[in-house]
Amino acid sequence: MAHLKSGTLGMTILLGLLTAIGPLSTDMYLPSLPSIQQHFGATTAQAQWTLSAYLLGFALGQVFYGPLSDRRGRKQVMLAGLALYAFANLASAMAPSLEVLIAARFLQGVGAAGPMVLARAIVRDLHEGREAGQMLARMGTIMGIVPAIAPMLGAGIEILSGWRMNFLAVVFLAIALGIAVARRLPETLRQPLVSPFSVREIMRGYGELCRDGRFTSFALLSAVTYAGLFAFISGSSFVMQGHFGLSPAGFAATFGVMVLGYILGTVMAQKVVASKGSLRAIEIGAVLQAVAGLALLGFSFVMPYWLAGLAVPMAFYAMGVGFTLPQSAAGALMPFPDRAGSVSSLLGIMQMSFAAIVGALVGAFVSQSPVALTAATALMGLIGMATLPRIRRVSTFS
């Protein structure tokens, strides 16, 4: 069977679906979090660890996937990640205790890290400049469509078959993606690195990146952007179902409003990148996040039981993320074509580690009040906007 070609619709869809494994693994089971909590007799904070453990595993997995793929190739390493991801979802579906579920979720994160890291690296292997930014935005659109469907699908599966079936469904998706990668994805790494694969060598390479302002500026923006989004994701099911009294299906529909904002942002960003460049898209997105975050926080104090006061500002915040997140990744990747895998890994490590910390803090304080959630989101939006002057100075975008 012929390999997919660069820039084609088929290649975009496959890379987008591989990138979407990350949000799928969080969003599909979100409507089931209260049920998981009740099933195991856990507290809200304990149940939240099934989410934070996934992110910690995701962060740890990214330490190795990128550097290994810079030496061994993208395809072989991606298939290994998909295999681990499928196994961990099967273990989650069969978990006899919350502790086992948390451990399995950690392994899910380790497995899912590979496809997301390597999809970004493949884009850098194949594309330059604005073209890379547009490709990442298109993948972001697909990545948004999947979680838009995922909570509703997850709620439906739980109603029909219980929360365990959500994990079994993802096993079949992982197998299908593995077959597609094996048969249709070409190897895109042109010149493997000759340096040895060792922890010392990996840390040395990461240290060089952390001392380079071209990477750290975009990586900081990417990290706070994702953390602000994840602050909402991690606490939304408890706030919407506890504070606002929504059913799992009602939560899924309301969550879909936010995802729609993200999708719209990625679509608009493609047009802005084509006409004005990636830097302008980042500026628009960062301002949207800051303003929407402040509105979100304000409504949680002034009108705490008005659902639209939560859903509408969050949709605009997510629209800003659709502008900012793909372009900040492109900005971090552009100066380093010879080690795109390592850059993608370190970028993901910073994103997920910071998001895990923010998610754990929100989970500890969210209870049934939306203030912890909205305050964290607003703070991340403001920090993101504060990075703009430095990004303008170091940007290599044309």
Side-chain angles (χ1 to χ4, degrees):
M1 187 174 292
H3 286 151
L4 295 169
K5 294 183 178 180
S6 170
T8 61
L9 179 62
M11 177 67 86
T12 303
I13 291 174
L14 178 57
L15 293 179
L17 288 174
L18 289 165
T19 305
I21 278 181
L24 177 72
S25 298
T26 57
D27 297 350
M28 187 167 174
Y29 97 122
L30 280 179
S32 297
L33 262 178
S35 297
I36 291 171
Q37 177 186 352
Q38 183 178 14
H39 178 87
F40 291 114
T43 66
T44 298
Q46 289 170 336
Q48 285 286 87
W49 268 105
T50 62
L51 200 54
S52 293
Y54 168 83
L55 285 177
L56 289 171
F58 200 105
L60 179 63
Q62 290 179 97
V63 173
F64 303 102
Y65 280 114
L68 184 59
S69 75
D70 284 338
R71 294 161 175 82
R72 302 288 178 84
R74 315 298 187 205
K75 187 171 179 177
Q76 178 183 354
V77 179
M78 184 178 289
L79 287 171
L82 284 168
L84 177 59
Y85 180 69
F87 167 78
N89 273 282
L90 183 61
S92 297
M94 300 172 65
S97 67
L98 183 64
E99 291 77 14
V100 173
L101 178 59
I102 290 171
R105 287 284 291 168
F106 176 83
L107 287 179
Q108 277 183 46
V110 175
M116 180 171 281
V117 164
L118 300 179
R120 282 196 302 248
I122 288 169
V123 171
R124 184 61 189 92
D125 291 341
L126 299 174
H127 301 282
E128 296 279 349
R130 291 190 183 188
E131 193 177 72
Q134 288 177 291
M135 182 66 172
L136 287 167
R138 293 187 196 106
M139 289 164 57
T141 302
I142 297 170
M143 191 175 71
I145 292 172
V146 169
I149 299 170
M152 291 180 280
L153 180 61
I157 290 174
E158 185 195 348
I159 291 169
L160 293 174
S161 306
W163 61 267
R164 295 182 187 273
M165 190 57 66
N166 274 320
F167 295 113
L168 284 176
V170 178
V171 173
F172 293 109
L173 174 63
I175 292 171
L177 286 173
I179 293 171
V181 168
R183 293 186 175 184
R184 303 301 305 277
L185 188 69
E187 178 54 63
T188 60
L189 181 64
R190 298 165 189 164
Q191 185 63 45
L193 289 180
V194 296
S195 57
F197 180 75
S198 66
V199 173
R200 182 177 180 180
E201 188 65 25
I202 291 171
M203 293 301 107
R204 186 191 67 79
Y206 286 161
E208 290 178 358
L209 290 173
C210 288
R211 292 189 294 272
D212 194 315
R214 296 173 299 172
F215 171 79
T216 56
S217 299
F218 285 101
L220 175 60
L221 174 60
S222 180
V224 298
T225 293
Y226 188 77
L229 182 66
F230 188 75
F232 179 83
I233 291 172
S234 64
S236 60
S237 61
F238 295 104
V239 169
M240 290 187 186
Q241 295 181 69
H243 182 73
F244 291 102
L246 299 181
S247 66
F251 159 70
T254 306
F255 190 85
V257 174
M258 182 206 72
V259 179
L260 184 62
Y262 172 78
I263 294 171
L264 183 59
T266 61
V267 172
M268 294 170 64
Q270 294 175 44
K271 299 182 183 299
V272 172
V273 171
S275 60
K276 305 287 187 179
S278 292
L279 187 57
R280 178 59 61 86
I282 286 174
E283 292 170 341
I284 293 171
V287 171
L288 269 174
Q289 288 165 211
V291 173
L294 288 174
L296 191 69
L297 180 60
F299 279 121
S300 69
F301 280 107
V302 178
M303 304 180 72
Y305 290 96
W306 188 39
L307 181 59
L310 181 75
V312 174
M314 197 59 219
F316 279 98
Y317 187 97
M319 184 184 298
V321 174
F323 274 90
T324 306
L325 200 59
Q327 306 312 316
S328 59
L333 285 162
M334 280 307 103
F336 310 100
D338 58 327
R339 41 181 169 162
S342 297
V343 173
S344 184
S345 276
L346 186 55
L347 183 68
I349 291 166
M350 294 176 69
Q351 278 183 351
M352 297 303 163
S353 298
F354 197 37
I357 293 169
V358 172
L361 289 173
V362 169
F365 294 102
V366 70
S367 185
Q368 291 187 349
S369 169
V371 174
L373 180 155
T374 58
T377 303
L379 178 61
M380 295 303 103
L382 291 172
I383 295 173
M385 191 168 71
T387 66
L388 288 180
R390 181 168 176 81
I391 281 177
R392 293 188 187 104
R393 288 197 300 270
V394 303
S395 174
T396 59
F397 284 125
S398 58

